[in-house]
Amino acid sequence: MFSFLTRKDVRKILKRKDSDAGEKGRALEELRASLFNEFRSSEGAKRQQQRICGPITALSFNFLVAIGIIFMNKMVLQTIKFKFPILLTLIHYLVSWFLMAVLKAFSLLPSSPSSKSTRMSTLFTLGFVMSLSTGFANVSLKYNSIGFYQMAKIAVTPSIVVAEFVLYRKKVSLSKAIALTVVSIGVAVATVTDLQFHLFGACVALAWIVPSAVNKILWSRLQQQENWTALSLMWKTTPITLIFLAAMMPCLDPPGVFSFDWTFGNTMVIFGSAILGFLLQWSGALALGATSAISHVVLGQFKTCVILLGNYYIFGSNPGATSIFGAFTAIAGMSVYTYLNMRPQPNKVTPWQASTLPKSKLGKENGGTHDGAESV
């Protein structure tokens, strides 16, 4: 056996195998290093996010999580009688911050852009409106029906259109405006039979509209034009959100949190809601980075119609012919809006391409209006 291994031809084969193994090992190491370096820079992390999570993937992910958390939060607030919506939101963000801290400890959290690229006041504003948007949404769910909550969302669409025009001179074409109007009317008709609300809850829902619109605009704009990824932006803004949520608790939550029945089952339901809250924030940020603020609102209205029609066709509930007609009308408007966004537009830069272009070139391509196409 030893004489066989010491023959010249056998030694050559063994050396060749060692050389091939060494080359494969070096190639694998170089690939691993290149992926790590790409992940550790903000531009590389943004490219990775774009490759892995395109518009359809991001919107589908957000769609599934959002449906789950609406019913989960309703169960937390009404079934197990956890009557502290701001504290629930605070728990959501604490769990999100902890999960991101774990990712950072293992060097899995994407890098943030340099501090010079984004003003601290912008991040502070985003953290503040996030606390208002999420906190007011949960307070609204506590006092109002899901139908009224979805009805309030209709007002977010014109708020975004007006805000983007005032802040960035971004315009919406007439055909898109008509499609969005049809969507809003359809959702209003579909949810008109489920408008149970409390006066205080209705006031909170109205106060939620503007922060929600600003929140979506900032999430979309910072990712598309400042090389932020969803997780890195969440990591920077979550501490600010936590501070404002803690300040809101004495004003909007009733007393008696320590008298709540903190059984293992109730705690697990709240923890499950917090996990879904992290996934909702992440998927929503991905969707806003891949599409636009208006497209994200249209997706939310699509969820409303799917829930209504699903209850009718699968579970046999009968919301009435008017609601079903409204749901189909809204879906028809969404289909037209999607077609208009997918139609190629010459000399326009889509949000998907925007983050890969310099800001000066982006302004020239869009004619200084930042009127990028949207995708749904």
PDB file of all heavy atoms in Angstrom, residues 343-368:
ATOM      1  N   ARG A 343     -46.969  50.584 -16.532  1.00  0.00           N
ATOM      2  CA  ARG A 343     -46.784  51.031 -17.908  1.00  0.00           C
ATOM      3  C   ARG A 343     -45.472  51.808 -18.021  1.00  0.00           C
ATOM      4  O   ARG A 343     -45.196  52.690 -17.203  1.00  0.00           O
ATOM      5  CB  ARG A 343     -47.963  51.921 -18.319  1.00  0.00           C
ATOM      6  CG  ARG A 343     -48.030  52.216 -19.797  1.00  0.00           C
ATOM      7  CD  ARG A 343     -49.333  52.929 -20.108  1.00  0.00           C
ATOM      8  NE  ARG A 343     -49.489  54.154 -19.321  1.00  0.00           N
ATOM      9  CZ  ARG A 343     -50.557  54.928 -19.370  1.00  0.00           C
ATOM     10  NH1 ARG A 343     -51.581  54.586 -20.134  1.00  0.00           N
ATOM     11  NH2 ARG A 343     -50.627  56.024 -18.650  1.00  0.00           N
ATOM     12  N   PRO A 344     -44.636  51.490 -19.010  1.00  0.00           N
ATOM     13  CA  PRO A 344     -43.352  52.194 -19.135  1.00  0.00           C
ATOM     14  C   PRO A 344     -43.546  53.678 -19.382  1.00  0.00           C
ATOM     15  O   PRO A 344     -44.395  54.091 -20.174  1.00  0.00           O
ATOM     16  CB  PRO A 344     -42.681  51.508 -20.339  1.00  0.00           C
ATOM     17  CG  PRO A 344     -43.795  50.864 -21.098  1.00  0.00           C
ATOM     18  CD  PRO A 344     -44.821  50.490 -20.075  1.00  0.00           C
ATOM     19  N   GLN A 345     -42.736  54.494 -18.665  1.00  0.00           N
ATOM     20  CA  GLN A 345     -42.809  55.944 -18.808  1.00  0.00           C
ATOM     21  C   GLN A 345     -41.442  56.467 -19.234  1.00  0.00           C
ATOM     22  O   GLN A 345     -40.473  56.332 -18.502  1.00  0.00           O
ATOM     23  CB  GLN A 345     -43.209  56.598 -17.481  1.00  0.00           C
ATOM     24  CG  GLN A 345     -44.564  56.130 -16.991  1.00  0.00           C
ATOM     25  CD  GLN A 345     -44.949  56.807 -15.684  1.00  0.00           C
ATOM     26  OE1 GLN A 345     -44.478  57.879 -15.376  1.00  0.00           O
ATOM     27  NE2 GLN A 345     -45.800  56.151 -14.924  1.00  0.00           N
ATOM     28  N   PRO A 346     -41.333  57.039 -20.440  1.00  0.00           N
ATOM     29  CA  PRO A 346     -40.045  57.542 -20.902  1.00  0.00           C
ATOM     30  C   PRO A 346     -39.547  58.689 -20.049  1.00  0.00           C
ATOM     31  O   PRO A 346     -40.327  59.511 -19.581  1.00  0.00           O
ATOM     32  CB  PRO A 346     -40.333  58.014 -22.344  1.00  0.00           C
ATOM     33  CG  PRO A 346     -41.813  58.262 -22.354  1.00  0.00           C
ATOM     34  CD  PRO A 346     -42.410  57.278 -21.407  1.00  0.00           C
ATOM     35  N   ASN A 347     -38.209  58.733 -19.876  1.00  0.00           N
ATOM     36  CA  ASN A 347     -37.531  59.808 -19.141  1.00  0.00           C
ATOM     37  C   ASN A 347     -37.973  59.888 -17.684  1.00  0.00           C
ATOM     38  O   ASN A 347     -37.899  60.935 -17.057  1.00  0.00           O
ATOM     39  CB  ASN A 347     -37.767  61.178 -19.795  1.00  0.00           C
ATOM     40  CG  ASN A 347     -37.268  61.207 -21.221  1.00  0.00           C
ATOM     41  OD1 ASN A 347     -36.241  60.606 -21.531  1.00  0.00           O
ATOM     42  ND2 ASN A 347     -37.996  61.906 -22.086  1.00  0.00           N
ATOM     43  N   LYS A 348     -38.455  58.769 -17.137  1.00  0.00           N
ATOM     44  CA  LYS A 348     -38.815  58.732 -15.730  1.00  0.00           C
ATOM     45  C   LYS A 348     -37.974  57.666 -15.039  1.00  0.00           C
ATOM     46  O   LYS A 348     -37.681  56.628 -15.603  1.00  0.00           O
ATOM     47  CB  LYS A 348     -40.308  58.399 -15.536  1.00  0.00           C
ATOM     48  CG  LYS A 348     -41.229  59.507 -16.043  1.00  0.00           C
ATOM     49  CD  LYS A 348     -41.168  60.721 -15.157  1.00  0.00           C
ATOM     50  CE  LYS A 348     -42.121  61.799 -15.633  1.00  0.00           C
ATOM     51  NZ  LYS A 348     -42.063  62.992 -14.810  1.00  0.00           N
ATOM     52  N   VAL A 349     -37.621  57.924 -13.771  1.00  0.00           N
ATOM     53  CA  VAL A 349     -36.838  56.981 -12.996  1.00  0.00           C
ATOM     54  C   VAL A 349     -37.731  56.364 -11.945  1.00  0.00           C
ATOM     55  O   VAL A 349     -38.388  57.075 -11.185  1.00  0.00           O
ATOM     56  CB  VAL A 349     -35.647  57.696 -12.321  1.00  0.00           C
ATOM     57  CG1 VAL A 349     -34.851  56.711 -11.479  1.00  0.00           C
ATOM     58  CG2 VAL A 349     -34.759  58.326 -13.380  1.00  0.00           C
ATOM     59  N   THR A 350     -37.790  55.030 -11.902  1.00  0.00           N
ATOM     60  CA  THR A 350     -38.621  54.363 -10.921  1.00  0.00           C
ATOM     61  C   THR A 350     -37.928  54.387  -9.568  1.00  0.00           C
ATOM     62  O   THR A 350     -36.717  54.514  -9.479  1.00  0.00           O
ATOM     63  CB  THR A 350     -38.863  52.894 -11.327  1.00  0.00           C
ATOM     64  OG1 THR A 350     -37.604  52.224 -11.313  1.00  0.00           O
ATOM     65  CG2 THR A 350     -39.499  52.800 -12.696  1.00  0.00           C
ATOM     66  N   PRO A 351     -38.697  54.256  -8.469  1.00  0.00           N
ATOM     67  CA  PRO A 351     -38.084  54.181  -7.157  1.00  0.00           C
ATOM     68  C   PRO A 351     -37.080  53.049  -7.061  1.00  0.00           C
ATOM     69  O   PRO A 351     -36.127  53.122  -6.305  1.00  0.00           O
ATOM     70  CB  PRO A 351     -39.289  53.944  -6.220  1.00  0.00           C
ATOM     71  CG  PRO A 351     -40.445  54.511  -6.948  1.00  0.00           C
ATOM     72  CD  PRO A 351     -40.155  54.284  -8.403  1.00  0.00           C
ATOM     73  N   TRP A 352     -37.290  51.958  -7.817  1.00  0.00           N
ATOM     74  CA  TRP A 352     -36.372  50.825  -7.791  1.00  0.00           C
ATOM     75  C   TRP A 352     -35.006  51.211  -8.346  1.00  0.00           C
ATOM     76  O   TRP A 352     -33.993  50.676  -7.943  1.00  0.00           O
ATOM     77  CB  TRP A 352     -36.990  49.698  -8.618  1.00  0.00           C
ATOM     78  CG  TRP A 352     -36.326  48.383  -8.377  1.00  0.00           C
ATOM     79  CD1 TRP A 352     -35.638  47.629  -9.274  1.00  0.00           C
ATOM     80  CD2 TRP A 352     -36.296  47.664  -7.158  1.00  0.00           C
ATOM     81  NE1 TRP A 352     -35.182  46.499  -8.682  1.00  0.00           N
ATOM     82  CE2 TRP A 352     -35.575  46.497  -7.386  1.00  0.00           C
ATOM     83  CE3 TRP A 352     -36.800  47.903  -5.877  1.00  0.00           C
ATOM     84  CZ2 TRP A 352     -35.351  45.555  -6.384  1.00  0.00           C
ATOM     85  CZ3 TRP A 352     -36.577  46.978  -4.899  1.00  0.00           C
ATOM     86  CH2 TRP A 352     -35.867  45.822  -5.157  1.00  0.00           C
ATOM     87  N   GLN A 353     -34.992  52.160  -9.320  1.00  0.00           N
ATOM     88  CA  GLN A 353     -33.736  52.588  -9.901  1.00  0.00           C
ATOM     89  C   GLN A 353     -33.157  53.796  -9.180  1.00  0.00           C
ATOM     90  O   GLN A 353     -31.982  54.093  -9.311  1.00  0.00           O
ATOM     91  CB  GLN A 353     -33.946  52.982 -11.383  1.00  0.00           C
ATOM     92  CG  GLN A 353     -34.455  51.829 -12.245  1.00  0.00           C
ATOM     93  CD  GLN A 353     -34.987  52.337 -13.571  1.00  0.00           C
ATOM     94  OE1 GLN A 353     -35.518  53.441 -13.663  1.00  0.00           O
ATOM     95  NE2 GLN A 353     -34.853  51.529 -14.608  1.00  0.00           N
ATOM     96  N   ALA A 354     -33.988  54.501  -8.410  1.00  0.00           N
ATOM     97  CA  ALA A 354     -33.590  55.799  -7.868  1.00  0.00           C
ATOM     98  C   ALA A 354     -32.384  55.707  -6.960  1.00  0.00           C
ATOM     99  O   ALA A 354     -31.507  56.562  -6.978  1.00  0.00           O
ATOM    100  CB  ALA A 354     -34.760  56.424  -7.108  1.00  0.00           C
ATOM    101  N   SER A 355     -32.324  54.633  -6.124  1.00  0.00           N
ATOM    102  CA  SER A 355     -31.257  54.560  -5.143  1.00  0.00           C
ATOM    103  C   SER A 355     -29.906  54.272  -5.782  1.00  0.00           C
ATOM    104  O   SER A 355     -28.876  54.434  -5.154  1.00  0.00           O
ATOM    105  CB  SER A 355     -31.569  53.467  -4.126  1.00  0.00           C
ATOM    106  OG  SER A 355     -31.670  52.226  -4.782  1.00  0.00           O
ATOM    107  N   THR A 356     -29.879  53.842  -7.046  1.00  0.00           N
ATOM    108  CA  THR A 356     -28.614  53.540  -7.695  1.00  0.00           C
ATOM    109  C   THR A 356     -28.087  54.719  -8.494  1.00  0.00           C
ATOM    110  O   THR A 356     -27.010  54.622  -9.090  1.00  0.00           O
ATOM    111  CB  THR A 356     -28.777  52.326  -8.648  1.00  0.00           C
ATOM    112  OG1 THR A 356     -29.737  52.661  -9.650  1.00  0.00           O
ATOM    113  CG2 THR A 356     -29.239  51.097  -7.879  1.00  0.00           C
ATOM    114  N   LEU A 357     -28.850  55.829  -8.549  1.00  0.00           N
ATOM    115  CA  LEU A 357     -28.422  57.000  -9.296  1.00  0.00           C
ATOM    116  C   LEU A 357     -27.982  58.098  -8.358  1.00  0.00           C
ATOM    117  O   LEU A 357     -28.517  58.241  -7.264  1.00  0.00           O
ATOM    118  CB  LEU A 357     -29.581  57.530 -10.159  1.00  0.00           C
ATOM    119  CG  LEU A 357     -30.010  56.656 -11.336  1.00  0.00           C
ATOM    120  CD1 LEU A 357     -31.230  57.284 -11.999  1.00  0.00           C
ATOM    121  CD2 LEU A 357     -28.905  56.486 -12.346  1.00  0.00           C
ATOM    122  N   PRO A 358     -27.003  58.905  -8.770  1.00  0.00           N
ATOM    123  CA  PRO A 358     -26.659  60.072  -7.963  1.00  0.00           C
ATOM    124  C   PRO A 358     -27.843  61.014  -7.887  1.00  0.00           C
ATOM    125  O   PRO A 358     -28.683  61.078  -8.774  1.00  0.00           O
ATOM    126  CB  PRO A 358     -25.498  60.715  -8.753  1.00  0.00           C
ATOM    127  CG  PRO A 358     -25.015  59.657  -9.674  1.00  0.00           C
ATOM    128  CD  PRO A 358     -26.170  58.759  -9.962  1.00  0.00           C
ATOM    129  N   LYS A 359     -27.895  61.790  -6.786  1.00  0.00           N
ATOM    130  CA  LYS A 359     -29.040  62.684  -6.579  1.00  0.00           C
ATOM    131  C   LYS A 359     -29.154  63.710  -7.695  1.00  0.00           C
ATOM    132  O   LYS A 359     -30.238  64.056  -8.130  1.00  0.00           O
ATOM    133  CB  LYS A 359     -28.909  63.396  -5.230  1.00  0.00           C
ATOM    134  CG  LYS A 359     -29.073  62.472  -4.055  1.00  0.00           C
ATOM    135  CD  LYS A 359     -28.986  63.275  -2.787  1.00  0.00           C
ATOM    136  CE  LYS A 359     -29.021  62.354  -1.587  1.00  0.00           C
ATOM    137  NZ  LYS A 359     -28.888  63.083  -0.326  1.00  0.00           N
ATOM    138  N   SER A 360     -28.011  64.218  -8.191  1.00  0.00           N
ATOM    139  CA  SER A 360     -28.069  65.226  -9.249  1.00  0.00           C
ATOM    140  C   SER A 360     -28.677  64.649 -10.512  1.00  0.00           C
ATOM    141  O   SER A 360     -29.507  65.252 -11.166  1.00  0.00           O
ATOM    142  CB  SER A 360     -26.666  65.759  -9.529  1.00  0.00           C
ATOM    143  OG  SER A 360     -25.808  64.693  -9.927  1.00  0.00           O
ATOM    144  N   LYS A 361     -28.279  63.398 -10.845  1.00  0.00           N
ATOM    145  CA  LYS A 361     -28.820  62.763 -12.044  1.00  0.00           C
ATOM    146  C   LYS A 361     -30.290  62.429 -11.864  1.00  0.00           C
ATOM    147  O   LYS A 361     -31.083  62.534 -12.786  1.00  0.00           O
ATOM    148  CB  LYS A 361     -28.025  61.493 -12.350  1.00  0.00           C
ATOM    149  CG  LYS A 361     -28.462  60.849 -13.678  1.00  0.00           C
ATOM    150  CD  LYS A 361     -27.576  59.673 -14.008  1.00  0.00           C
ATOM    151  CE  LYS A 361     -28.013  59.045 -15.330  1.00  0.00           C
ATOM    152  NZ  LYS A 361     -27.201  57.882 -15.680  1.00  0.00           N
ATOM    153  N   LEU A 362     -30.648  62.030 -10.633  1.00  0.00           N
ATOM    154  CA  LEU A 362     -32.037  61.713 -10.365  1.00  0.00           C
ATOM    155  C   LEU A 362     -32.918  62.935 -10.585  1.00  0.00           C
ATOM    156  O   LEU A 362     -33.989  62.850 -11.164  1.00  0.00           O
ATOM    157  CB  LEU A 362     -32.182  61.225  -8.913  1.00  0.00           C
ATOM    158  CG  LEU A 362     -33.592  60.851  -8.451  1.00  0.00           C
ATOM    159  CD1 LEU A 362     -34.123  59.693  -9.262  1.00  0.00           C
ATOM    160  CD2 LEU A 362     -33.599  60.538  -6.976  1.00  0.00           C
ATOM    161  N   GLY A 363     -32.450  64.094 -10.140  1.00  0.00           N
ATOM    162  CA  GLY A 363     -33.224  65.313 -10.333  1.00  0.00           C
ATOM    163  C   GLY A 363     -33.396  65.647 -11.794  1.00  0.00           C
ATOM    164  O   GLY A 363     -34.449  66.077 -12.243  1.00  0.00           O
ATOM    165  N   LYS A 364     -32.333  65.434 -12.608  1.00  0.00           N
ATOM    166  CA  LYS A 364     -32.430  65.721 -14.033  1.00  0.00           C
ATOM    167  C   LYS A 364     -33.370  64.749 -14.729  1.00  0.00           C
ATOM    168  O   LYS A 364     -34.155  65.115 -15.583  1.00  0.00           O
ATOM    169  CB  LYS A 364     -31.034  65.636 -14.673  1.00  0.00           C
ATOM    170  CG  LYS A 364     -30.119  66.768 -14.219  1.00  0.00           C
ATOM    171  CD  LYS A 364     -28.719  66.583 -14.818  1.00  0.00           C
ATOM    172  CE  LYS A 364     -27.754  67.652 -14.338  1.00  0.00           C
ATOM    173  NZ  LYS A 364     -26.396  67.432 -14.861  1.00  0.00           N
ATOM    174  N   GLU A 365     -33.264  63.453 -14.356  1.00  0.00           N
ATOM    175  CA  GLU A 365     -34.096  62.440 -15.019  1.00  0.00           C
ATOM    176  C   GLU A 365     -35.578  62.707 -14.762  1.00  0.00           C
ATOM    177  O   GLU A 365     -36.419  62.477 -15.607  1.00  0.00           O
ATOM    178  CB  GLU A 365     -33.738  61.040 -14.487  1.00  0.00           C
ATOM    179  CG  GLU A 365     -32.351  60.554 -14.901  1.00  0.00           C
ATOM    180  CD  GLU A 365     -32.354  60.049 -16.327  1.00  0.00           C
ATOM    181  OE1 GLU A 365     -33.429  59.963 -16.929  1.00  0.00           O
ATOM    182  OE2 GLU A 365     -31.275  59.753 -16.844  1.00  0.00           O
ATOM    183  N   ASN A 366     -35.883  63.172 -13.552  1.00  0.00           N
ATOM    184  CA  ASN A 366     -37.275  63.387 -13.191  1.00  0.00           C
ATOM    185  C   ASN A 366     -37.726  64.817 -13.421  1.00  0.00           C
ATOM    186  O   ASN A 366     -38.797  65.214 -12.998  1.00  0.00           O
ATOM    187  CB  ASN A 366     -37.505  63.034 -11.713  1.00  0.00           C
ATOM    188  CG  ASN A 366     -37.553  61.544 -11.519  1.00  0.00           C
ATOM    189  OD1 ASN A 366     -37.718  60.804 -12.479  1.00  0.00           O
ATOM    190  ND2 ASN A 366     -37.387  61.100 -10.291  1.00  0.00           N
ATOM    191  N   GLY A 367     -36.901  65.600 -14.055  1.00  0.00           N
ATOM    192  CA  GLY A 367     -37.302  66.954 -14.371  1.00  0.00           C
ATOM    193  C   GLY A 367     -37.471  67.822 -13.153  1.00  0.00           C
ATOM    194  O   GLY A 367     -38.201  68.800 -13.160  1.00  0.00           O
ATOM    195  N   GLY A 368     -36.771  67.448 -12.046  1.00  0.00           N
ATOM    196  CA  GLY A 368     -36.814  68.261 -10.834  1.00  0.00           C
ATOM    197  C   GLY A 368     -38.079  68.088 -10.030  1.00  0.00           C
ATOM    198  O   GLY A 368     -38.281  68.745  -9.026  1.00  0.00           O
TER     199      GLY A 368
END
